[in-house]
């Protein structure tokens, strides 16, 4: 059975995900596995203002609201751009900026090959 696309972690996204509570990490892993198989996560929204094709997995837990931003449009991998806990209703400019910078870096590296 085909495993699907590899996951590539941008910047500190993997370490940030590991800092999530255990149950949230499990949900995030399950949702990313769905993306690897070409399926949509259970709760997501597009985040094109970060970059074309960027999506955000939304996870709610008793401890808070968590997000995993990724882009899956490239054939070689799913790039996880940023993992964070939301503190406000809107995604902060700081979190958007981190994801945007990592997205641009991935695009730059892909075109340099």
């Amino acid at each position: 059975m085909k495993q699907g696309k590899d996951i590539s972690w941008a910047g500190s996204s993997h370490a940030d995900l590991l800092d999530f509570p255990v149950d949230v990490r499990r949900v995030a892993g399950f949702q990313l596995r769905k993306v690897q198989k070409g399926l949509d996560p259970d709760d997501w929204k597009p985040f094109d203002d970060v970059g074309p094709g960027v999506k955000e997995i939304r996870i709610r837990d008793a401890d808070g609201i968590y997000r995993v931003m990724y882009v899956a449009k490239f054939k070689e991998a799913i790039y996880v751009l940023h993992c964070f806990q939301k503190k406000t209703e809107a995604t902060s400019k700081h979190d958007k900026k981190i994801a945007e910078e990592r997205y641009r870096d991935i695009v730059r590296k892909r075109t340099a090959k």
Side-chain angles (χ1 to χ4, degrees), residues 56-73:
E56 175 184 76
I57 297 171
R58 305 183 305 182
I59 304 166
R60 294 185 193 281
D61 181 75
D63 295 324
I65 300 169
Y66 298 84
R67 299 293 187 252
V68 177
M69 284 190 175
Y70 70 95
V71 61
K73 73 176 189 172

Side-chain angles (χ1 to χ4, degrees), residues 3-80:
Q3 291 292 323
K5 291 183 186 181
D6 288 336
I7 292 179
S8 182
W9 302 89
S12 64
S13 61
H14 190 251
D16 296 338
L17 180 73
L18 293 177
D19 285 340
F20 285 2
V22 174
D23 289 343
V24 175
R25 283 197 318 254
R26 276 193 200 110
V27 171
F30 179 76
Q31 298 304 319
L32 286 170
R33 184 69 184 120
K34 287 181 78 169
V35 174
Q36 283 182 294
K37 293 179 179 182
L39 304 171
D40 284 330
D42 293 335
D43 188 2
W44 67 277
K45 75 174 192 174
F47 231 96
D48 287 332
D49 53 335
V50 167
V54 173
K55 296 180 180 178
E56 175 184 76
I57 297 171
R58 305 183 305 182
I59 304 166
R60 294 185 193 281
D61 181 75
D63 295 324
I65 300 169
Y66 298 84
R67 299 293 187 252
V68 177
M69 284 190 175
Y70 70 95
V71 61
K73 73 176 189 172
F74 303 119
K75 67 179 181 175
E76 71 275 6
I78 296 160
Y79 293 94
V80 177

